[in-house]
Amino acid sequence: MKLSVLLLFATTAFSLAHYSRLVECAARKFTVDYKKGTFMKDGLPFNYVSGSIHYSRVQPEQWQDRLYKMRYAGLDAIQVYIPWNYHETEHGKFDFSGGRNLVRFLSLAHDLDLLVILRPGPYICAEWEFGGFPYWLIKDNSSIALRSSDPVYMSYVTEWFNVLLPKVRPLLYVNGGPIISVQVENEYGSFSACDQTYMQQLLSLNRKLLVDDVVYFTTDGDGTGYLKCGATPGTLTTVDFGAGNATKAFQVLQQWNSSFNGPYVNSEYYIGWLDIWGQKHSQVDALAVARTLDEMLGMKANVNMYMFFGGTNFGFTSGAPGDNPFNPVPTSYDYDAALSEAGDMTFKYSIIRSTIGKYKTLPPLVPPINSTKFAYGELLVDLQGPLHLCAPLMSKLGGYPTYHNAYPLRSEVMDTGYGYLSYRHVLTESITNGNLSVPGIRDRGYVLVNDHFYGILDRNGPTELPISGKKDDTLSILVENMGRVNYGSGLLHGTKGIISNVTIGSIVNASQWTMYNYRFNISLLQHCKKMLQNSYNMAVPLKFVPSTYLGLLNVVGTPADTFLRLDGWVKGSVTVNDFNIGRYWPGKGPQETLYVPSILLKTGLNFITVTELVGTPCSSSYRCQIKFVDVPELNSNITSISVSLMTHHG
Ligand SMILES: *[C@@H]1O[C@H](CO)[C@@H](O)[C@H](O)[C@H]1NC(C)=O
Ligand SMILES: *[C@@H]1O[C@H](CO)[C@@H](O)[C@H](O)[C@H]1NC(C)=O
Ligand SMILES: *[C@@H]1O[C@H](CO)[C@@H](O)[C@H](O)[C@H]1NC(C)=O
Ligand SMILES: *[C@@H]1O[C@H](CO)[C@@H](O)[C@H](O)[C@H]1NC(C)=O
Ligand SMILES: *[C@@H]1O[C@H](CO)[C@@H](O)[C@H](O)[C@H]1NC(C)=O
């Protein structure tokens, strides 16, 4: 205050500028005029063209680049989901640092003159693990009634919003920031609970914590069946749909409310679509996208393109849109968007930009460029340790707890939200070709007796397979969590690990289990290798045993973006300098390459680990190869096309 008073007297020029800024601030307002059927920005009619980007799917060093390209395309706004589980990683433990610095992300958008449409959920769908819900919600009580007015659930939501919303409040448009509107829940009309009390509770909570005048809205599919449970009084009803007849799609709003006259908003205009492991790569025709965009802008509708930039499901952050069958999404969230997974400007980007140019002034910015790509070539990786041996060792070394229980424990009660768990049981009698039956496998189990690999259990089947072993042999089941369901009623069955009892041959409800999680970093891994060299006969052929491999990639000069090919490898995950870049499953497709952003690499030596769950393509158990190339491959030939794609809304 004092400073500005002093400065006010410094020069006339400054005081004039200061004065006009004050006037601007006073007029800063974003509202809905239902009579005129339009948004009003600073007192003038306004319609936006926006694009979805998720900060959690791109490295923070690249936020500026992606946002700049969005602004350059002529967008007025970005639409942003906030994944609860990305921030409240454990109950009461909040993380807003680095890639989770939401305020920094929103401020970067603001600096580029991009408005923000905020989607705090708390449920976000988004093909994101558990639709954004933290795993610990189902730790103590797996029957918590998510997405309802259940007081247990709402108490967690209230705690979270009390931390989150005060952070974004100063960034509201009325307060000088970029946020013009806030979404309440997400496609609630597609969920079975249909609890209007919940919707009103969420709206009140938002109002209480944001205090100021804010435009609230809901988003649902373009059918009255969706609006029935999704729309709620006190909010603007918006819909989502892809290329086609927009006039017809928007008519649902009048069918729902005959006095509705706008503003018309397509909150998720699908310019691309999601992928599923084992299904054909989704592509949406750029010309069709441009045509319907043109139609919507021509009728002064408001449009948010989903996704304008999709990015990557790094680590174990991907979800699954359904559980019957369970259908997890791959690591890439390229989405056939306008900007590719690596942020490249596609043909779709250009045609969208020129379509926007017909209706809006394109900003006079320096044209952005695609990032540099580099093919670092082949890299030798060495076996560090089989998981069934390393998991217990690393658990001890890393100070992680070991769990003993009569029956298998599910993942959440062992404070393990994501990744791999090792379940072990000492056979109490000999078994010859007897079935191991694990109906509660979530999601895949890699079965060994001592060092012999017997095969794979899968929640989609088979959930049993024959094993042999002697009394006192060790059965170990490495359990892989492939991401929690993010859509539909499968959301209510999110528990992972082994969630029901196990039958081994004639022994029903086999008891006495020991469980370890498999969390590693480079130094733990190297420790494991050393310890195994002393205590274990590494000459046993271990090619087909879940194992972690390590290689050193030498980068000369400034690191560039690159893509990792794992031809012949079966399934697993990769870390780059201890950062988990995600899961691979090249034989399943459609994704063949993992995106490695330049920012994860450094000049000199880089540690690359490959955790392979089934078997490597190499003849030697100990040395194998992976390959860094300069072109992505997200569209491998999938012969079995199953399940119709466009059945749900992102
Ligand atoms: C578990 O959650 C459900 C739904 O929130 C609630 O009805 C039930 O009382 C809870 N049980 C316990 C033991 O907390
Ligand atoms: C789009 O739908 C509207 C309303 O149903 C209809 O009048 C119009 O003819 C359709 N346009 C096209 C190109 O099919
Ligand atoms: C129907 O639309 C009118 C005009 O936009 C609005 O004032 C009214 O609240 C809406 N009714 C419902 C039930 O949403
Ligand atoms: C940028 O990358 C996209 C996608 O790979 C490509 O289609 C386009 O031609 C590239 N643009 C330039 C100028 O190289
Ligand atoms: C073992 O499981 C397989 C696969 O489910 C099944 O076909 C077979 O009949 C089972 N064998 C016995 C002895 O139960």
Side-chain angles (χ1 to χ4, degrees):
M1 198 46 153
K2 214 177 206 165
L3 190 66
S4 68
V5 171
L6 276 178
L7 286 174
L8 211 65
F9 289 100
T11 69
T12 324
F14 179 84
S15 62
L16 276 177
H18 185 77
Y19 174 74
S20 68
R21 207 158 60 228
L22 283 177
V23 169
E24 200 187 298
C25 268
R28 220 176 147 84
K29 233 177 158 146
F30 192 84
T31 55
V32 178
D33 186 331
Y34 283 103
K35 263 209 198 96
K36 290 201 185 100
T38 178
F39 289 118
M40 300 294 283
K41 184 167 164 279
D42 306 333
L44 297 172
F46 174 75
N47 71 313
Y48 61 73
V49 55
S50 163
S52 277
I53 172 172
H54 301 151
Y55 57 95
S56 51
R57 284 178 159 139
V58 54
Q59 295 302 304
E61 294 83 355
Q62 296 170 325
W63 286 348
Q64 165 78 25
D65 172 76
R66 305 304 190 260
L67 291 169
Y68 186 91
K69 286 167 178 164
M70 292 175 84
R71 182 66 191 123
Y72 182 76
L75 302 186
D76 304 302
I78 58 168
Q79 187 163 294
V80 185
Y81 271 138
I82 300 173
W84 182 1
N85 54 12
Y86 203 54
H87 295 284
E88 193 171 355
T89 50
E90 299 295 337
H91 184 206
K93 223 177 106 191
F94 300 93
D95 189 351
F96 286 93
S97 65
R100 293 165 169 82
N101 192 338
L102 172 66
V103 168
R104 176 174 167 260
F105 177 77
L106 298 179
S107 303
L108 284 175
H110 192 35
D111 292 346
L112 286 164
D113 263 328
L114 286 162
L115 299 166
V116 171
I117 300 154
L118 201 66
R119 314 217 279 173
Y123 164 77
I124 62 166
C125 194
E127 290 71 63
W128 186 259
E129 154 54 64
F130 213 0
F133 285 136
Y135 86 91
W136 52 259
L137 283 178
I138 51 171
K139 179 184 165 186
D140 298 327
N141 183 352
S142 65
S143 62
I144 182 172
L146 301 172
R147 304 183 74 187
S148 82
S149 54
D150 168 17
V152 179
Y153 166 71
M154 274 311 290
S155 72
Y156 292 131
V157 173
T158 306
E159 286 174 18
W160 162 232
F161 273 20
N162 267 284
V163 171
L164 173 67
L165 296 183
K167 286 189 192 294
V168 303
R169 200 188 148 201
L171 297 170
L172 293 174
Y173 191 77
V174 278
N175 298 329
I179 301 169
I180 52 171
S181 59
V182 175
Q183 186 182 334
V184 179
E185 242 279 345
N186 181 56
E187 294 184 337
Y188 193 59
S190 303
F191 191 60
S192 51
C194 198
D195 180 348
Q196 275 295 316
T197 308
Y198 165 56
M199 288 298 278
Q200 287 298 308
Q201 283 173 344
L202 270 188
L203 178 60
S204 311
L205 188 58
N206 273 291
R207 282 201 174 124
K208 182 175 152 227
L209 293 166
L210 295 177
V211 188
D212 310 274
D213 243 357
V214 181
V215 171
Y216 293 102
F217 68 100
T218 60
T219 301
D220 281 287
D222 58 333
T224 49
Y226 294 117
L227 301 185
K228 185 168 160 283
C229 298
T232 202
T235 65
L236 172 69
T237 304
T238 81
V239 286
D240 47 25
F241 54 85
N245 186 333
T247 308
K248 184 152 183 254
F250 279 130
Q251 276 171 358
V252 70
L253 291 163
Q254 266 107 25
Q255 286 160 18
W256 170 246
N257 176 352
S258 56
S259 50
F260 186 82
N261 171 42
Y264 292 93
V265 185
N266 184 349
S267 286
E268 291 189 1
Y269 174 44
Y270 302 113
I271 67 170
W273 195 252
L274 60 99
D275 279 347
I276 304 274
W277 284 123
Q279 294 182 18
K280 202 173 150 34
H281 178 52
S282 299
Q283 285 174 303
V284 176
D285 179 58
L287 295 173
V289 163
R291 212 159 37 235
T292 308
L293 178 63
D294 202 330
E295 182 192 355
M296 289 189 282
L297 294 181
M299 62 196 280
K300 288 206 181 319
N302 301 270
V303 186
N304 172 71
M305 288 172 261
Y306 191 98
M307 298 292 299
F308 196 87
F309 165 70
T312 309
N313 295 310
F314 292 112
F316 298 130
T317 60
S318 56
D323 71 341
N324 191 25
F326 178 63
N327 58 352
V329 302
T331 299
S332 172
Y333 201 62
D334 178 274
Y335 214 84
D336 195 30
L339 292 170
S340 76
E341 180 176 18
D344 286 348
M345 293 166 288
T346 64
F347 170 66
K348 196 175 279 177
Y349 177 93
S350 318
I351 195 167
I352 286 172
R353 183 170 183 268
S354 46
T355 306
I356 294 173
K358 289 168 68 177
Y359 300 94
K360 304 226 170 208
T361 312
L362 296 172
L365 296 173
V366 178
I369 51 168
N370 288 347
S371 68
T372 308
K373 315 290 187 300
F374 192 75
Y376 290 101
E378 284 184 350
L379 177 70
L380 281 176
V381 293
D382 292 324
L383 176 71
Q384 300 299 295
L387 267 62
H388 68 293
L389 300 174
C390 276
L393 284 176
M394 285 196 225
S395 210
K396 264 177 223 135
L397 284 168
Y400 306 126
T402 301
Y403 297 86
H404 302 279
N405 199 53
Y407 303 107
L409 293 170
R410 60 190 174 88
S411 173
E412 295 79 15
V413 301
M414 296 188 281
D415 292 306
T416 304
Y418 317 101
Y420 310 114
L421 280 161
S422 176
Y423 287 76
R424 299 151 75 85
H425 168 82
V426 176
L427 296 180
T428 52
E429 56 184 59
S430 298
I431 177 167
T432 307
N433 273 325
N435 267 348
L436 165 72
S437 173
V438 191
I441 189 77
R442 296 288 182 280
D443 302 299
R444 286 174 43 114
Y446 302 84
V447 178
L448 284 86
V449 177
N450 292 348
D451 298 318
H452 185 81
F453 185 44
Y454 278 92
I456 305 167
L457 302 166
D458 188 310
R459 67 185 281 177
N460 289 333
T463 59
E464 56 186 351
L465 57 78
I467 59 168
S468 299
K470 293 191 294 292
K471 181 175 184 296
D472 295 333
D473 281 355
T474 300
L475 166 70
S476 61
I477 307 173
L478 181 84
V479 178
E480 179 194 14
N481 165 349
M482 292 184 62
R484 290 183 181 76
V485 171
N486 65 273
Y487 178 81
S489 54
L491 204 66
L492 302 175
H493 315 287
T495 53
K496 295 293 188 183
I498 294 179
I499 66 166
S500 68
N501 283 350
V502 173
T503 298
I504 305 170
S506 59
I507 302 176
V508 181
N509 299 343
S511 70
Q512 298 314 318
W513 290 83
T514 305
M515 287 136 293
Y516 307 90
N517 57 37
Y518 185 70
R519 292 178 192 155
F520 71 89
N521 55 38
I522 300 297
S523 79
L524 283 179
L525 199 59
Q526 289 174 331
H527 265 294
C528 179
K529 184 176 184 179
K530 260 191 219 126
M531 292 181 70
L532 287 179
Q533 274 166 347
N534 298 335
S535 66
Y536 184 76
N537 177 10
M538 291 286 274
V540 176
L542 291 168
K543 190 179 158 194
F544 296 111
V545 169
S547 300
T548 299
Y549 293 76
L550 173 65
L552 287 175
L553 175 68
N554 189 17
V555 170
V556 180
T558 310
D561 277 359
T562 187
F563 303 92
L564 177 57
R565 286 197 75 97
L566 292 123
D567 298 341
W569 294 70
V570 183
K571 188 176 199 309
S573 56
V574 173
T575 70
V576 173
N577 294 322
D578 273 334
F579 181 88
N580 182 346
I581 61 165
R583 304 176 176 97
Y584 64 87
W585 201 358
K588 194 78 167 174
Q591 176 175 8
E592 294 283 330
T593 52
L594 287 173
Y595 173 49
V596 183
S598 60
I599 199 70
L600 295 178
L601 297 170
K602 50 183 195 270
T603 306
L605 293 180
N606 294 271
F607 290 91
I608 314 291
T609 74
V610 181
T611 296
E612 167 59 49
L613 302 172
V614 183
T616 73
C618 305
S619 49
S620 153
S621 304
Y622 300 103
R623 302 217 93 185
C624 206
Q625 274 159 28
I626 56 177
K627 191 175 181 185
F628 293 91
V629 297
D630 56 5
V631 280
E633 179 54 89
L634 301 176
N635 189 12
S636 66
N637 280 331
I638 302 286
T639 42
S640 65
I641 304 166
S642 54
V643 187
S644 96
L645 276 176
M646 296 278 188
T647 52
H648 101 88
H649 301 267

